[in-house]
Amino acid sequence: STVYELPFFRSKSWLSYVLGGWKSGVIATFQSGPPFTVVNLSDTTNAFPAGPLRPDVTGNPMLSGTGQSIQRWFDTAAFRAPAPYTFGNSPRSVLRGPGVSNIDLSLLKIFAITERAKAEFRGEFYNALNHANFGLPAATLGAPGFGTINSARPGRAIQLGLRLSF
């Protein structure tokens, strides 16, 4: 993140009062996707309520970068329900979800009205590039939509504000 005072119109004129003194800010976030675990829809152990149980992995569940899409984030055929009265062999956090790429921008200007009174105008642009940041795929074996992504973070949002202080 950074805040930078723009160097334009720094002279003492009426033009600098309107066009000078602006500050810009940037907050950039770039993250790899979070790990997630595939779980079974039903309890195959019949032993105790053990919480979410993992299935068996029969192959490599990761798809290549070109094979991944929001309709098929991982190879769903690589998972199967374990045999009755057994636990699955799938490890925890075997897959990664989509990453996050987000840039938030802001512009700020403080106008002096009197010696003690000031007006602050602010414009904030969240997800300024309107990049699609998707949620985690459905990871419950046997549930509808298994392996598909059905959610996303919010798109671009713009917020304008004016604050008077005296």
Side-chain angles (χ1 to χ4, degrees):
S1 67
T2 184
V3 175
Y4 180 70
E5 186 171 347
L6 301 174
F8 311 114
F9 302 104
R10 290 195 177 192
S11 65
K12 298 291 182 191
S13 69
W14 66 272
L15 195 58
S16 67
Y17 180 77
V18 176
L19 299 176
W22 286 89
K23 295 178 185 175
S24 66
V26 176
I27 298 175
T29 305
F30 302 101
Q31 297 175 335
S32 63
F36 66 94
T37 303
V38 175
V39 295
N40 263 349
L41 184 62
S42 60
D43 180 7
T44 58
T45 62
N46 200 26
F48 50 87
L53 298 173
R54 296 188 291 270
D56 282 336
V57 177
T58 60
N60 184 4
M62 291 177 262
L63 295 173
S64 66
T66 58
Q68 277 184 333
S69 67
I70 60 172
Q71 291 85 17
R72 187 171 185 242
W73 190 254
F74 58 90
D75 186 5
T76 57
F79 295 97
R80 67 176 173 153
Y85 310 109
T86 62
F87 291 95
N89 66 4
S90 175
R92 286 181 61 239
S93 304
V94 69
L95 295 167
R96 284 201 170 267
V100 172
S101 175
N102 187 47
I103 296 178
D104 298 335
L105 301 174
S106 66
L107 282 172
L108 164 73
K109 166 85 171 150
I110 298 176
F111 296 94
I113 299 170
T114 65
E115 189 174 308
R116 294 179 60 194
K118 294 179 175 66
E120 177 184 294
F121 175 74
R122 171 179 228 112
E124 297 166 330
F125 308 88
Y126 302 103
N127 193 4
L129 301 179
N130 204 25
H131 187 269
N133 292 302
F134 296 107
L136 290 176
T140 304
L141 178 66
F146 178 56
T148 62
I149 296 176
N150 297 316
S151 65
R153 292 183 179 199
R156 179 186 305 127
I158 299 173
Q159 174 177 294
L160 301 175
L162 182 64
R163 182 176 77 172
L164 299 174
S165 58
F166 48 92

